[in-house]
Amino acid sequence: MRHRSWLAAAASLALLAGCSSSGGTATDAGAPVSGGSLNWAVETEPITLNPHQYAQAKARLLVWNNFEALLTHDDKGGYVPWLATGYEASPDGKTYTVKLRTGVTFSDGTKFDAAAVKANVDQLLADGYAPAVAAVQLKNLKNVEVVDPATIKYNLKQPDVLILDFLSSPQGAIVSPKSLKEAKNLKAGGPELAGTGPFILDKYTPGQELHYVKNPDYNWAPANAGHTGPAYLDEVTYRFLKESSVRVGALTSGQVQVIEGVPATDQAQITANPQLTLSKGLNSGSAYSYYFNTSHAPFDDVRVRRAFRDALDVGTVLQGVYRGTATRAWSVISPTSPLYSAELEGSYGNNAAKANSELDAAGWATRDADGYRTKDGKRLTARLVQSAPFVRDRRDILAQAVQAAVKQSAGIDLKVSVVDQGTATKAIEDNEYEVFDNSRADTDAGAALNLLLRSDGAINRTGVKDPRLDSLLAAGEAGGDRAQTYGEIQRKVVAEDALIQPLYAPADQIASAKNVGGLGFEPTAGVPGNAYNVWLSK
């Protein structure tokens, strides 16, 4: 991005659906029609409805209903104008000049322009508002400059290609400046926050549902959105149904027309029903992995980290929990990312003899009456604390399977607890954990790794402060040969330092009645798309 490159909205992109595969298709649901009310059951209730505070991949399909960013992605990982019409990078990579759409309004009637964009950046940089965004995604931002109402400049301290990923992310979504000033609970968000999106959130019932109505004035969809003008649907209700069996039951009984999150145990009910359809998409960003806390025993010893990894037969565990529907992860980066390195595949794990030898060498050479490894009278214990709002895809069940596997293979005592967010946050703050689990659906895996692996990363739970790793991450964000740089990062954190136990590449599933058309997955991100292009046949 160091050369001059205006990004134009090509008309040919208008034929690209905003998905990697679809559920109800034009063939199933007929030609798109306007009108109707859709009921959609989702697995996870958002912690916040403010896009700047976004932290849950499952919240993306909700965020993009009423908020929009300057850029979005195509299915090749490139950038497409959204609230922007194009951008220009300076030759030194330190300035990005963005041209904005005109004639766009927020749902509260105020005007979208460069001043509104600047107001959002200023808010993101305000003390205590979004510290993770300020410290990571905007750490290289020097300032933003309003050139004219339709032009804004992002001036950087040093080259950072990840600024474009920010401009296409939920955290980079544009909220009405009026909302930023007047919202009573800005961080929580909700109906009082206005966006420019195709829907307006008019009601939120905590623990139950979100209700959106069509924005009748909407007429600025990106070129790959599937159509132009207002959304087809008049209204959409998202119901929070955490249990997959309950979601599937609501779909089969006709209480809802769409559900997301269909684990392997329930997919047969969908595929066997001729009135329903099922589609799947792999997420981008980082794979679902266990991150070892190296700040104290036992994972301050690389031999113990390697032993945990070698004690685990990931393929067998995944088969038992997901019945062949999960994609094994060998790296911290999802295999759908262009930055993924395949060289780690098959290079470690499923070697109980090696695991036990490593533990012997690390001094964990004795066992107690329950068969667990001990050292100096203490059991080899590791605590995995899972925050309930972030548990998806039966990850609690997966943890139990891992727990049983590492005990049987190597005598490791993995203690698993699923707790509320406050308890999980306190455990992290008090350093009362040994294993941290995470995946991120960032469109650029580099953004995820900056958060997870940098010494000052907002969700770096490994405790590692490695100048060499920080240098590699900085090189990756600066541009150059990113595939080579991130290949070295993956070798270092997985193969050499054993900081991470990759498990699987997260995927999303959408099931629906066949009279629902236009469903799909976000390009690049691979998560369910919003409801803009969705319709109900008459």
Side-chain angles (χ1 to χ4, degrees), residues 401-441:
V402 173
Q403 178 186 57
V406 296
K407 176 188 179 182
Q408 180 178 357
S409 295
I412 299 171
D413 182 17
L414 178 64
K415 293 188 179 300
V416 180
S417 56
V418 180
V419 300
D420 61 82
Q421 186 188 10
T423 302
T425 299
K426 189 175 189 305
I428 295 295
E429 291 174 347
D430 295 343
N431 204 20
E432 295 291 336
Y433 69 98
E434 285 72 46
V435 181
F436 170 73
D437 67 326
N438 184 269
S439 67
R440 291 186 59 86

Side-chain angles (χ1 to χ4, degrees), residues 282-346:
L282 279 180
N283 297 174
S284 63
S286 61
Y288 179 65
S289 306
Y290 287 172
Y291 293 75
F292 299 126
N293 182 358
T294 69
S295 68
H296 59 247
F299 293 131
D300 57 343
D301 189 330
V302 68
R303 294 171 295 183
V304 180
R305 302 196 297 269
R306 288 172 180 157
F308 188 103
R309 185 179 65 185
D310 288 325
L312 188 58
D313 182 354
V314 174
T316 297
V317 168
L318 294 179
Q319 178 63 35
V321 177
Y322 300 110
R323 301 182 184 179
T325 63
T327 299
R328 165 74 187 269
W330 289 97
S331 174
V332 63
I333 294 179
S334 172
T336 61
S337 170
L339 301 177
Y340 173 73
S341 172
E343 68 177 281
L344 296 173
E345 295 177 3

Side-chain angles (χ1 to χ4, degrees), residues 158 450 453-456 465-479 485-486 488-489 492:
Q158 59 190 41
N450 275 356
L453 299 176
R454 282 180 65 100
S455 294
D456 59 354
K465 298 184 184 302
D466 185 331
R468 173 58 180 159
L469 182 54
D470 288 344
S471 176
L472 286 169
L473 290 165
E477 70 188 21
T485 299
Y486 284 101
E488 186 172 347
I489 290 171
K492 180 172 176 55

